[in-house]
Amino acid sequence: MNPAGRLDQVQKHLAPEVDPCRLDGQVVLITGGAQGIGRAAAQLLASKGAKIAINDLDETKANAAVRELTSAGHEALAIAGDLLEVDHPQKLVDAVIQRFGKVNVLVNGAGFLVDNAIHRMTEEQFDVVMKIHNYVPYRMIKALSKHWMDSANADMPKAIINIASVSGLHGTPGQVNYCTAKAGVLGLTMAIAKEWSRFNVRCNSVAYGWIDTRMTRPPEETAKFVSGGQEIVAGIPQNYKKWRDTSDILVGARPGTASEAAGVILFLASPLSAYMTGACVECTGGRYL
C-alpha cells in the first residue's frame, strides 16, 4: 500500500464512529411524556441530541420530567393540559414551534384505559377512550399540517410514532373500547403514511404488549385523574389472571420495562428506520406468537 493509501486507512480508523440513532437538533413532541413509556422515551431521545417538548395532563409530573432533562444538560419544555379539550392540540404545537422553531417528531403517546365488559360499558366509557386514542392523535397530526406542508420544510426530517397496542391487533376481553380505538390507530397510521409521503413525512406505529407502567399496574386511589370531564382510574385489575400470566412471554417471562419500550420509539424516530412508513412494530416479548 502506498503512503497516501495507508494514511487514509489510518484516518478512517481514528475517525469517531457515527451513531445512526443521533437526533441532534431535532425537536420531539411527546404527548403523555411525563411518565411511563413517554418519559422513558423523552430521556432516551434527549440523550441522542433531541430537544424535547412534553405534554401531560399532570403539570407537576411534566415539570419534574423537564427538570430532570434540563439538569442533565438537555433542552426541554413542559406544556401541561388536557388533550381532550378540542383546541389544546393546536395550542400545544404552536407553543413548541414558538419555543424551538420547528417540530421534527411527534410521538402520540397520551392514553388511558376505562375497562368494562361490553354489557356493562356505558356510552361515556366507550366514547372517552375513543377520543383519547383516536381523536387526539388525529388532532395532533392535523395541528402540524401547516408547518409540515410548508415547502420551506420539505427536506426537514419528519416522523410520527403512534402508540398502538396488541389489544388492537389481537383483542382483549373487557376492553372493547380500547381494542376498537387501538385498531383505529393502525388505520390512521397507514392513511397518514400514504397521504403525507409527498411531504417527506414517515408515519409508523408500535404495538406494545405488557409494559410495566402505571397504566398496567393494579388500580389505586392515588391513580385517579380527570380527563374530558370524566374521572379515570388508571390500571388493570390484579385479578385479570390471563393478562398477568407471563408464561407465554418468551423474553424472560416478564413484563417489559418502559426503557425497553422506548428503544422502539428511538428506532422509529431515527435514521435507522428511514425506509419504513405505514408499519406497525410489535414489542411484546414474544407474546402472541
Side-chain angles (χ1 to χ4, degrees), residues 158-160 200-204 267-270 273-277:
K158 297 179 282 289
I160 300 167
N200 192 34
V201 175
R202 296 186 303 107
C203 186
N204 294 290
F267 168 69
L268 292 175
S270 78
S273 61
Y275 198 59
M276 288 179 64
T277 194

Side-chain angles (χ1 to χ4, degrees), residues 4-5 11 33 38 70 73 86 100 146 151 156 171 176 217 223 239 259 282:
Q11 287 176 333
T70 55
V86 175
F100 294 120
K146 181 179 179 181
S151 59
M156 183 177 76
V176 66
R217 294 170 194 154
N239 62 0
S259 295
E282 289 190 59

Side-chain angles (χ1 to χ4, degrees), residues 69-130:
L69 292 172
T70 55
S71 65
H74 307 302
E75 291 190 60
L77 170 69
I79 308 170
D82 190 348
L83 287 169
L84 291 184
E85 295 176 5
V86 175
D87 60 347
H88 189 66
Q90 188 65 63
K91 290 180 179 178
L92 174 58
V93 167
D94 291 345
V96 177
I97 293 174
Q98 182 177 15
R99 168 67 181 275
F100 294 120
K102 62 179 180 176
V103 176
N104 297 99
V105 179
L106 169 65
V107 180
N108 277 315
F112 50 74
L113 303 170
V114 183
D115 293 351
N116 216 339
I118 189 169
H119 62 285
R120 291 195 295 266
M121 185 166 289
T122 66
E123 291 290 310
E124 292 76 18
Q125 289 175 328
F126 191 90
D127 188 55
V128 73
V129 170
M130 294 296 290

Side-chain angles (χ1 to χ4, degrees), residues 132-143:
I132 191 64
H133 293 288
N134 287 165
Y135 281 64
V136 167
Y138 148 73
R139 289 171 182 156
M140 288 299 304
I141 294 169
K142 186 177 181 181

Side-chain angles (χ1 to χ4, degrees), residues 116-198:
N116 216 339
I118 189 169
H119 62 285
R120 291 195 295 266
M121 185 166 289
T122 66
E123 291 290 310
E124 292 76 18
Q125 289 175 328
F126 191 90
D127 188 55
V128 73
V129 170
M130 294 296 290
K131 283 182 175 177
I132 191 64
H133 293 288
N134 287 165
Y135 281 64
V136 167
Y138 148 73
R139 289 171 182 156
M140 288 299 304
I141 294 169
K142 186 177 181 181
L144 281 166
S145 58
K146 181 179 179 181
H147 178 50
W148 279 5
M149 294 167 71
D150 187 337
S151 59
N153 298 323
D155 297 326
M156 183 177 76
K158 297 179 282 289
I160 300 167
I161 297 106
N162 292 322
I163 305 305
S165 169
V166 292
S167 293
L169 292 170
H170 305 287
T172 304
Q175 294 186 339
V176 66
N177 50 1
Y178 186 68
C179 295
T180 303
K182 287 303 190 182
V185 169
L186 303 179
L188 172 68
T189 299
M190 291 183 284
I192 295 301
K194 291 181 178 180
E195 190 169 330
W196 275 10
S197 62
R198 65 187 185 275

